[in-house]
Amino acid sequence: MTRATDEQFDEASFWSLEPGPGESLRACLERTLRQAIREGSLRAGVELPSSRRLAAQLGVSRGVASDAYAELEAQGYLLLATRRAPVVAQVPSVREPAAATHAAAVPSPRFDMTPTTPDVTLFPRRRWAAALAAAVREAPDDALDYGDSRGSLLLRARLADELGRTRGVICEPDQIIVVQGATQGLDLVLRALRDTNAARVAVEDPSLDRQHKQIRGLGLELAGQPVDRDGLIVGGLEADAVVVSPAHQFPTGAVLSGARRRELLAWSRDCGGLIIEDDYDAEFRYDREPVRALQGLDPDRVVYAGTTAKTLAPSLRIGWLVVPERLVEPLAALKELLDDLSPTLEQIALAQLIEGGHYQRHIRRARAVYRTRRDRLVGALARHFPGLSVFGVAAGLSVMLELPAGADDHGMKRAAGEAGIRVEALSGYSIDDRGRRGLLIGYGRLHEAAVDAAVAALHRAVAPELG
Ligand SMILES: Cc1ncc(COP(=O)(O)O)c(C=O)c1O
């Protein structure tokens, strides 16, 4: 008999419990173990830890572990005997269909209204190909070598100018670190915080769920801070750092008001807390110029994160951090430790697009497309859902349709999914799933000609849930 090693059960990434929406910890543990048994990573005859040990290793109550074991025994996956370790039973090793969250296993929806994705068909392929070809031809040999972990100086110099001009960011190229998307930027900052014994990181509640996982995944405490029409509510904020999206709060679409900006900076000055500004989609404001970056008001207190994920394409994985002087060295060292540096030729290509004005021209074109789609979407929502309102300013790539308190937005997301429509549930972005209810409806991928049909289909799918 083989014993499942403690390492196997201690391996957080392998055994971490990630309950799906509405799923209990017990159900999640049961599913995780059943999947491992069926996929063959827990083979017949393997001894599992006692329910007490498993519970301690996973940080759940003993009842959760013993109930999951009992259920798996009833289903024939485990053999349980008193005073003996549970043993994996012989079952046909069939790969379970991948979890519903696994993109590859999900058929393409009829109407893709994912809130976080841009229209990648707008990507300026020819311009990019030309810029990349020029970079390959003309870049000095040094550009093919290891180099400064902060990235290409050519790109950092262009970004310093461009971010100053378009976002009011104040920095020298030295303070910029080119990263693999804003996601890696946040990862670096969280690691640097952890290295200085920071323990607690706050986020807006609701906010991007992946950021919650990143914070918890690095062993930091996650704290949620509520959001209203003026953005993050600063009162009561207690943390070593806070992640905010001031220009366009994700996912509600609120803009951080002037008073709240002052309050947040005062908070940072008082307690030394770091502000991490996620400026993920400020390029897409449709009714006026976007509000300027918070970083420009106090560059010593704010780490600014930007990305090309919405403006060009998520798969480029090009983003940037603008960091206070004191954080340049530790963050550059962490970037080097993780992956040396981001691919240089692509950085040079992007620098050329910016320098030639093509980047801004592309953004202007995309902005016009998204603006039309948004206007149509807001109009169609008003016609089909007359009792509900759209929250947030005219910006970004999605709108939030507010639902009455207690509405089952997860259920609506599911019903929409079954009808071939992809939308997200607002409560999926809240920390404890107890916040406001709403549907997040993206128009990045929804062609303007399809908007009416998509909203009509959405209404048909979710109307029964609305009552
Ligand atoms: C709120 C928010 N922040 C940041 C990002 C950017 O992530 P990345 O640049 O790593 O693709 C996204 C992308 O979906 C986002 O929705």
Side-chain angles (χ1 to χ4, degrees):
M1 194 171 291
T2 332
R3 202 177 275 273
T5 62
D6 279 356
E7 291 76 39
Q8 200 173 4
F9 279 90
D10 284 343
E11 186 72 48
S13 60
F14 193 20
W15 291 108
S16 66
L17 294 183
E18 291 188 4
E23 187 179 42
S24 67
L25 275 175
R26 187 206 45 75
C28 176
L29 176 57
E30 188 199 315
R31 173 175 58 77
T32 307
L33 289 173
R34 186 175 50 242
Q35 198 163 330
I37 294 169
R38 297 195 76 198
E39 285 177 347
S41 60
L42 282 179
R43 292 150 61 83
V46 165
E47 263 187 15
L48 300 185
S50 68
S51 55
R52 186 201 312 259
R53 273 227 339 266
L54 181 65
Q57 284 160 348
L58 294 174
V60 298
S61 74
R62 187 173 176 194
V64 166
S66 53
D67 285 355
Y69 275 170
E71 190 56 40
L72 288 166
E73 181 195 37
Q75 295 167 12
Y77 288 96
L78 286 187
L79 307 170
L80 299 184
T82 21
R83 274 194 254 286
R84 298 277 303 274
V87 175
V88 176
Q90 186 80 47
V91 287
S93 171
V94 185
R95 282 193 169 267
E96 281 197 343
T101 49
H102 198 280
V106 180
S108 317
R110 199 154 54 103
F111 297 115
D112 185 355
M113 297 197 269
T114 311
T116 47
T117 44
D119 188 344
V120 288
T121 67
L122 300 176
F123 183 72
R125 285 176 188 256
R126 259 184 310 173
R127 286 268 176 229
W128 183 257
L132 195 56
V136 173
R137 263 195 327 268
E138 294 157 22
D141 289 342
D142 276 359
L144 300 173
D145 211 337
Y146 294 112
D148 190 327
S149 67
R150 289 171 298 183
S152 151
L153 182 55
L154 215 55
L155 177 59
R156 289 187 284 121
R158 289 289 74 74
L159 283 172
D161 294 348
E162 193 68 6
L163 293 173
R165 193 176 66 77
T166 59
R167 304 295 301 123
V169 168
I170 300 169
C171 70
E172 293 299 324
D174 278 357
Q175 291 168 260
I176 297 181
I177 301 175
V178 179
V179 285
Q180 307 249 20
T183 303
Q184 188 187 48
L186 179 60
D187 181 66
L188 294 179
V189 180
L190 294 173
R191 284 171 193 273
L193 283 163
R194 198 180 55 172
D195 289 348
T196 55
N197 295 325
R200 187 177 161 94
V201 177
V203 294
E204 297 159 321
D205 191 7
S207 50
L208 192 65
D209 49 343
R210 184 172 57 184
Q211 295 177 342
H212 311 168
K213 289 181 190 157
Q214 285 184 278
I215 293 167
R216 286 187 168 133
L218 285 170
L220 293 158
E221 185 191 342
L222 175 70
Q225 195 66 15
V227 170
D228 65 13
R229 280 189 187 276
D230 289 329
L232 178 82
I233 295 175
V234 182
L237 176 59
E238 277 181 33
D240 298 296
V242 59
V243 185
V244 271
S245 40
H248 188 224
Q249 203 275 327
F250 183 85
T252 64
V255 174
L256 193 66
S257 69
R260 293 274 174 82
R261 290 168 159 246
R262 285 190 290 279
E263 224 184 310
L264 185 57
L265 291 169
W267 167 83
S268 172
R269 278 180 218 121
D270 288 348
C271 72
L274 185 70
I275 300 168
I276 304 164
E277 177 172 24
D278 181 6
D279 204 35
Y280 66 105
D281 76 352
E283 295 83 359
F284 299 123
R285 176 91 197 231
Y286 310 115
D287 53 341
R288 47 158 282 173
E289 284 291 302
V291 289
R292 306 227 122 195
L294 196 59
Q295 192 271 1
L297 299 178
D298 199 339
D300 269 351
R301 313 234 145 250
V302 181
V303 169
Y304 171 95
T307 179
T308 55
K310 313 284 179 184
T311 53
L312 287 172
S315 72
L316 284 184
R317 307 312 300 142
I318 301 181
W320 41 85
L321 290 177
V322 179
V323 311
E325 299 278 5
R326 65 182 182 288
L327 290 178
V328 171
E329 208 201 290
L331 285 169
L334 280 165
K335 171 70 179 159
E336 185 177 3
L337 188 66
L338 282 188
D339 59 3
D340 269 304
L341 73 169
S342 289
T344 304
L345 294 174
E346 282 82 352
Q347 294 181 50
I348 296 174
L350 178 58
Q352 288 182 359
L353 285 196
I354 295 174
E355 183 157 11
H358 305 299
Y359 183 61
Q360 278 306 331
R361 262 198 295 284
H362 170 70
I363 289 173
R364 276 200 296 280
R365 259 200 308 272
R367 194 185 292 137
V369 171
Y370 294 141
R371 180 190 191 141
T372 308
R373 290 180 188 177
R374 185 179 192 280
D375 289 348
R376 288 226 179 148
L377 179 60
V378 170
L381 288 171
R383 280 195 302 284
H384 289 280
F385 297 89
L388 302 179
S389 55
V390 163
F391 189 90
V393 297
L397 300 175
S398 64
V399 299
M400 180 182 123
L401 187 66
E402 280 199 287
L403 295 172
D408 179 11
D409 52 5
H410 284 304
M412 291 190 199
K413 170 185 163 170
R414 253 193 319 275
E418 281 158 17
I421 305 162
R422 192 179 290 167
V423 291
E424 287 297 335
L426 178 64
S427 49
Y429 295 101
S430 85
I431 287 171
D432 54 12
D433 216 355
R434 279 202 295 260
R436 289 146 71 184
R437 301 294 185 223
L439 286 182
L440 290 174
I441 307 174
Y443 46 89
R445 297 224 165 136
L446 187 63
H447 194 276
E448 48 274 23
V451 168
D452 279 326
V455 175
L458 178 66
H459 182 259
R460 276 195 302 280
V462 306
E465 309 273 344
L466 269 174

